[in-house]
Coordinates of all heavy atoms in Angstrom, one line a residue:
E173 N -53.4 30.6 -15.2 CA -53.4 30.7 -13.7 C -52.0 30.6 -13.1 O -51.9 30.7 -11.9 CB -54.2 29.6 -13.2 CG -55.7 29.7 -13.6 CD -56.5 28.4 -13.3 OE1 -55.9 27.5 -12.7 OE2 -57.6 28.3 -13.6
G174 N -51.0 30.5 -14.0 CA -49.6 30.5 -13.4 C -49.3 29.1 -12.8 O -48.2 29.0 -12.1
K175 N -50.0 28.1 -13.1 CA -49.8 26.7 -12.6 C -49.0 25.8 -13.5 O -48.6 24.7 -13.1 CB -51.1 26.1 -12.2 CG -51.8 26.8 -11.1 CD -53.2 26.1 -10.8 CE -54.0 26.9 -9.7 NZ -55.3 26.3 -9.4
F176 N -48.7 26.3 -14.7 CA -48.0 25.5 -15.7 C -47.3 26.5 -16.6 O -47.8 27.5 -17.0 CB -49.0 24.6 -16.5 CG -48.3 23.5 -17.2 CD1 -48.1 22.2 -16.5 CD2 -47.9 23.5 -18.5 CE1 -47.5 21.2 -17.1 CE2 -47.2 22.5 -19.1 CZ -47.1 21.3 -18.4
R177 N -46.0 26.1 -16.9 CA -45.2 27.0 -17.7 C -45.7 27.1 -19.1 O -45.9 26.1 -19.8 CB -43.7 26.6 -17.7 CG -43.0 26.8 -16.3 CD -41.6 26.2 -16.4 NE -40.8 27.0 -17.4 CZ -39.9 27.8 -17.1 NH1 -39.6 28.2 -15.9 NH2 -39.2 28.4 -18.1
S178 N -45.8 28.3 -19.7 CA -46.3 28.5 -21.0 C -45.3 27.8 -22.0 O -45.7 27.2 -23.0 CB -46.5 29.9 -21.4 OG -45.3 30.7 -21.2
D179 N -43.9 28.0 -21.8 CA -42.9 27.4 -22.8 C -43.0 25.9 -22.8 O -42.8 25.3 -23.9 CB -41.5 28.0 -22.4 CG -41.1 27.8 -21.0 OD1 -41.9 27.3 -20.2 OD2 -40.1 28.3 -20.6
L180 N -43.2 25.3 -21.6 CA -43.3 23.8 -21.6 C -44.6 23.4 -22.3 O -44.6 22.4 -23.1 CB -43.3 23.3 -20.2 CG -43.5 21.8 -20.0 CD1 -42.4 21.1 -20.8 CD2 -43.5 21.4 -18.5
Y181 N -45.7 24.2 -22.1 CA -47.0 23.8 -22.8 C -46.8 23.9 -24.3 O -47.2 23.0 -25.0 CB -48.1 24.8 -22.3 CG -49.4 24.7 -23.1 CD1 -50.1 23.5 -23.0 CD2 -49.8 25.8 -23.9 CE1 -51.3 23.5 -23.8 CE2 -50.9 25.7 -24.6 CZ -51.7 24.5 -24.5 OH -52.9 24.5 -25.2
Y182 N -46.2 24.9 -24.8 CA -46.1 25.0 -26.3 C -45.1 24.0 -26.8 O -45.2 23.6 -28.0 CB -45.7 26.5 -26.6 CG -46.8 27.5 -26.3 CD1 -46.5 28.6 -25.5 CD2 -48.0 27.3 -26.9 CE1 -47.5 29.5 -25.2 CE2 -49.1 28.2 -26.6 CZ -48.8 29.3 -25.7 OH -49.8 30.2 -25.4
R183 N -44.1 23.6 -26.0 CA -43.2 22.6 -26.4 C -43.9 21.2 -26.5 O -43.5 20.4 -27.4 CB -42.0 22.5 -25.4 CG -40.9 21.5 -25.8 CD -40.3 21.9 -27.1 NE -39.3 20.9 -27.7 CZ -39.7 19.8 -28.3 NH1 -40.9 19.6 -28.5 NH2 -38.8 19.0 -28.8
L184 N -44.8 21.0 -25.6 CA -45.5 19.7 -25.7 C -46.6 19.7 -26.7 O -46.9 18.6 -27.4 CB -46.1 19.4 -24.3 CG -45.2 19.1 -23.1 CD1 -45.9 19.1 -21.9 CD2 -44.5 17.7 -23.3
N185 N -47.2 20.8 -26.9 CA -48.4 20.9 -27.7 C -48.1 21.1 -29.2 O -48.7 21.9 -29.9 CB -49.3 22.0 -27.2 CG -50.7 21.9 -27.8 OD1 -51.2 20.8 -28.0 ND2 -51.4 23.1 -28.0
V186 N -47.2 20.3 -29.7 CA -46.8 20.3 -31.1 C -47.9 19.7 -32.0 O -48.4 20.3 -32.9 CB -45.5 19.7 -31.4 CG1 -45.1 19.8 -32.9 CG2 -44.4 20.3 -30.5
I187 N -48.3 18.5 -31.6 CA -49.5 17.9 -32.3 C -50.5 17.6 -31.2 O -50.4 16.7 -30.4 CB -49.1 16.5 -33.0 CG1 -48.1 16.8 -34.1 CG2 -50.4 15.9 -33.5 CD1 -47.7 15.5 -34.8
P188 N -51.5 18.4 -31.1 CA -52.6 18.2 -30.1 C -53.6 17.2 -30.6 O -54.0 17.2 -31.8 CB -53.2 19.6 -30.0 CG -53.0 20.3 -31.3 CD -51.8 19.7 -31.9
L189 N -54.0 16.3 -29.7 CA -55.0 15.3 -30.0 C -56.0 15.3 -28.9 O -55.7 15.7 -27.7 CB -54.3 13.9 -30.1 CG -53.4 13.6 -31.2 CD1 -52.8 12.2 -31.0 CD2 -54.1 13.7 -32.5
D190 N -57.2 14.8 -29.2 CA -58.2 14.7 -28.1 C -58.9 13.3 -28.3 O -58.8 12.7 -29.4 CB -59.2 15.9 -28.1 CG -60.1 15.9 -29.3 OD1 -59.8 15.2 -30.3 OD2 -61.1 16.5 -29.3
L191 N -59.7 12.9 -27.3 CA -60.6 11.8 -27.4 C -61.9 12.2 -26.9 O -62.0 12.8 -25.8 CB -60.0 10.6 -26.5 CG -58.9 9.8 -27.1 CD1 -58.3 8.9 -26.1 CD2 -59.4 9.0 -28.3
P192 N -63.0 11.9 -27.6 CA -64.3 12.4 -27.2 C -64.8 11.6 -26.0 O -64.5 10.3 -25.8 CB -65.2 12.1 -28.4 CG -64.5 11.0 -29.1 CD -63.0 11.2 -28.9
P193 N -65.5 12.2 -25.0 CA -66.1 11.4 -23.9 C -67.2 10.5 -24.4 O -67.7 10.7 -25.5 CB -66.7 12.5 -23.0 CG -66.9 13.7 -23.9 CD -65.8 13.6 -25.0
L194 N -67.5 9.5 -23.7 CA -68.4 8.4 -24.1 C -69.8 9.0 -24.4 O -70.5 8.5 -25.3 CB -68.5 7.3 -23.1 CG -69.2 6.0 -23.5 CD1 -68.7 5.5 -24.8 CD2 -69.1 5.0 -22.5
R195 N -70.2 10.1 -23.7 CA -71.5 10.6 -23.9 C -71.6 11.3 -25.2 O -72.8 11.5 -25.7 CB -71.8 11.7 -22.7 CG -70.8 12.8 -22.7 CD -71.1 13.8 -21.6 NE -70.1 14.8 -21.5 CZ -68.9 14.7 -20.8 NH1 -68.7 13.6 -20.2 NH2 -68.0 15.7 -20.8
D196 N -70.5 11.6 -25.8 CA -70.5 12.2 -27.2 C -70.4 11.2 -28.3 O -70.3 11.6 -29.5 CB -69.4 13.3 -27.3 CG -69.7 14.5 -26.4 OD1 -70.8 14.7 -26.0 OD2 -68.7 15.3 -26.2
R197 N -70.3 9.9 -27.9 CA -70.3 8.9 -29.0 C -71.2 7.8 -28.6 O -70.8 6.6 -28.4 CB -68.8 8.4 -29.1 CG -68.0 8.3 -27.8 CD -66.6 7.9 -28.1 NE -66.4 6.5 -28.5 CZ -65.4 5.8 -28.0 NH1 -64.5 6.2 -27.2 NH2 -65.3 4.5 -28.5
P198 N -72.5 8.1 -28.5 CA -73.5 7.0 -28.1 C -73.6 5.9 -29.1 O -73.9 4.8 -28.6 CB -74.8 7.8 -28.1 CG -74.6 9.0 -29.0 CD -73.2 9.4 -28.8
E199 N -73.2 6.1 -30.3 CA -73.2 5.0 -31.3 C -72.2 3.9 -31.0 O -72.3 2.8 -31.5 CB -73.1 5.5 -32.7 CG -71.7 6.2 -33.0 CD -71.8 7.7 -32.8 OE1 -72.1 8.1 -31.6 OE2 -71.6 8.4 -33.7
D200 N -71.2 4.2 -30.1 CA -70.2 3.2 -29.8 C -70.5 2.4 -28.5 O -69.8 1.4 -28.2 CB -68.9 3.9 -29.5 CG -68.3 4.5 -30.8 OD1 -68.7 4.1 -31.9 OD2 -67.5 5.4 -30.8
I201 N -71.5 2.8 -27.7 CA -71.8 2.2 -26.5 C -72.1 0.7 -26.6 O -71.6 -0.2 -25.9 CB -72.9 2.9 -25.7 CG1 -72.4 4.3 -25.3 CG2 -73.5 2.1 -24.5 CD1 -73.4 5.2 -24.6
E202 N -73.0 0.4 -27.6 CA -73.3 -1.0 -27.8 C -72.1 -1.9 -28.2 O -71.9 -3.0 -27.8 CB -74.4 -1.2 -28.9 CG -74.9 -2.6 -29.1 CD -76.0 -2.8 -30.0 OE1 -76.6 -1.7 -30.5 OE2 -76.4 -3.9 -30.4
L203 N -71.3 -1.3 -29.1 CA -70.1 -2.0 -29.6 C -69.2 -2.2 -28.4 O -68.6 -3.4 -28.3 CB -69.4 -1.1 -30.7 CG -70.0 -1.1 -32.0 CD1 -69.2 0.0 -32.9 CD2 -69.9 -2.4 -32.7
L204 N -69.0 -1.3 -27.6 CA -68.1 -1.4 -26.4 C -68.6 -2.4 -25.4 O -67.9 -3.3 -24.9 CB -67.9 -0.1 -25.7 CG -67.0 0.9 -26.4 CD1 -67.2 2.4 -25.9 CD2 -65.5 0.5 -26.2
A205 N -69.9 -2.4 -25.2 CA -70.6 -3.4 -24.3 C -70.3 -4.8 -24.7 O -70.0 -5.7 -24.0 CB -72.0 -3.0 -24.1
R206 N -70.6 -5.0 -26.0 CA -70.4 -6.4 -26.6 C -68.9 -6.8 -26.6 O -68.6 -7.9 -26.3 CB -71.0 -6.4 -28.0 CG -72.5 -6.2 -28.0 CD -73.1 -6.5 -29.4 NE -74.5 -6.2 -29.5 CZ -75.5 -6.9 -28.9 NH1 -75.2 -8.1 -28.4 NH2 -76.7 -6.6 -29.0
Y207 N -68.1 -5.8 -26.9 CA -66.6 -6.1 -26.8 C -66.2 -6.5 -25.4 O -65.5 -7.5 -25.2 CB -65.8 -4.8 -27.2 CG -64.4 -4.8 -26.8 CD1 -63.5 -5.6 -27.6 CD2 -63.9 -4.1 -25.8 CE1 -62.1 -5.7 -27.2 CE2 -62.5 -4.2 -25.4 CZ -61.7 -5.0 -26.2 OH -60.3 -5.0 -25.8
F208 N -66.6 -5.8 -24.4 CA -66.3 -6.1 -23.0 C -66.9 -7.5 -22.6 O -66.3 -8.3 -21.9 CB -66.7 -5.0 -22.0 CG -65.9 -3.8 -22.1 CD1 -66.5 -2.6 -22.3 CD2 -64.5 -3.9 -21.9 CE1 -65.7 -1.4 -22.4 CE2 -63.7 -2.7 -21.9 CZ -64.3 -1.5 -22.2
A209 N -68.2 -7.7 -23.0 CA -68.8 -9.1 -22.7 C -68.0 -10.2 -23.3 O -67.7 -11.2 -22.6 CB -70.2 -9.1 -23.2
E210 N -67.5 -10.0 -24.5 CA -66.6 -11.1 -25.2 C -65.3 -11.2 -24.4 O -64.8 -12.3 -24.1 CB -66.4 -10.7 -26.6 CG -67.6 -10.7 -27.5 CD -67.9 -12.1 -28.0 OE1 -67.1 -13.1 -27.7 OE2 -68.9 -12.4 -28.6
K211 N -64.8 -10.1 -24.0 CA -63.4 -10.1 -23.4 C -63.5 -10.8 -22.1 O -62.7 -11.6 -21.7 CB -63.0 -8.6 -23.2 CG -61.7 -8.5 -22.5 CD -61.3 -7.0 -22.4 CE -60.1 -6.7 -21.6 NZ -59.7 -5.3 -21.5
F212 N -64.5 -10.4 -21.2 CA -64.6 -11.0 -19.9 C -65.0 -12.5 -19.9 O -64.6 -13.3 -19.1 CB -65.5 -10.1 -19.0 CG -64.9 -8.8 -18.8 CD1 -65.8 -7.7 -19.0 CD2 -63.6 -8.5 -18.5 CE1 -65.3 -6.4 -18.8 CE2 -63.1 -7.2 -18.3 CZ -63.9 -6.1 -18.5
A213 N -65.9 -12.8 -20.9 CA -66.3 -14.2 -21.1 C -65.0 -15.1 -21.4 O -64.9 -16.2 -20.9 CB -67.3 -14.3 -22.1
A214 N -64.2 -14.5 -22.3 CA -62.9 -15.3 -22.6 C -62.0 -15.5 -21.4 O -61.5 -16.5 -21.2 CB -62.2 -14.5 -23.7
R215 N -62.0 -14.4 -20.6 CA -61.1 -14.6 -19.3 C -61.7 -15.6 -18.4 O -61.0 -16.4 -17.8 CB -61.1 -13.3 -18.6 CG -60.1 -12.2 -19.2 CD -59.9 -11.1 -18.1 NE -59.2 -10.0 -18.7 CZ -58.9 -8.9 -18.1 NH1 -59.2 -8.8 -16.8 NH2 -58.3 -7.9 -18.7
M216 N -63.0 -15.7 -18.3 CA -63.7 -16.7 -17.4 C -64.0 -18.0 -18.1 O -64.6 -18.8 -17.5 CB -65.0 -16.0 -16.8 CG -64.7 -14.8 -16.0 SD -66.2 -14.1 -15.2 CE -66.9 -13.3 -16.6
R217 N -63.6 -18.1 -19.4 CA -63.8 -19.3 -20.1 C -65.3 -19.7 -20.2 O -65.6 -20.9 -20.0 CB -62.9 -20.5 -19.6 CG -61.5 -20.2 -19.7 CD -60.6 -21.3 -19.0 NE -59.3 -21.0 -19.1 CZ -58.6 -20.2 -18.4 NH1 -59.2 -19.6 -17.4 NH2 -57.3 -19.9 -18.5
G218 N -66.1 -18.8 -20.4 CA -67.5 -19.0 -20.5 C -68.1 -18.4 -21.8 O -67.4 -17.9 -22.6
Q219 N -69.4 -18.6 -21.9 CA -70.1 -18.0 -23.0 C -70.4 -16.5 -22.8 O -70.8 -16.2 -21.7 CB -71.4 -18.8 -23.2 CG -72.2 -18.4 -24.5 CD -71.5 -19.0 -25.7 OE1 -70.7 -20.0 -25.6 NE2 -71.8 -18.4 -26.9
A220 N -70.2 -15.7 -23.8 CA -70.5 -14.3 -23.6 C -72.0 -14.1 -23.4 O -72.8 -14.7 -24.0 CB -70.0 -13.5 -24.8

């Protein structure tokens, strides 16, 4: 669309990486929820 220089794009895109959206990794939702519950309980000095 002419909104980003092609030479800069190819200079940056030497090693392309991606991260899947959460909807594509449903098996991680429970792990993440428990991780956050532990994390915020530790901050509030309470039981998860």
Side-chain angles (χ1 to χ4, degrees):
E173 296 167 3
K175 297 179 180 177
F176 200 86
R177 289 179 62 106
S178 59
D179 48 5
L180 178 57
Y181 171 65
Y182 294 121
R183 183 63 187 80
L184 291 168
N185 196 32
V186 182
I187 298 181
L189 294 176
D190 70 343
L191 280 171
L194 191 53
R195 61 183 174 274
D196 290 346
R197 39 185 288 220
E199 60 267 63
D200 292 340
I201 291 176
E202 181 176 355
L203 286 173
L204 284 161
R206 295 191 187 281
Y207 166 75
F208 286 125
E210 292 279 353
K211 176 180 177 179
F212 298 131
R215 281 194 193 180
M216 296 183 285
R217 296 176 181 81
Q219 189 73 22

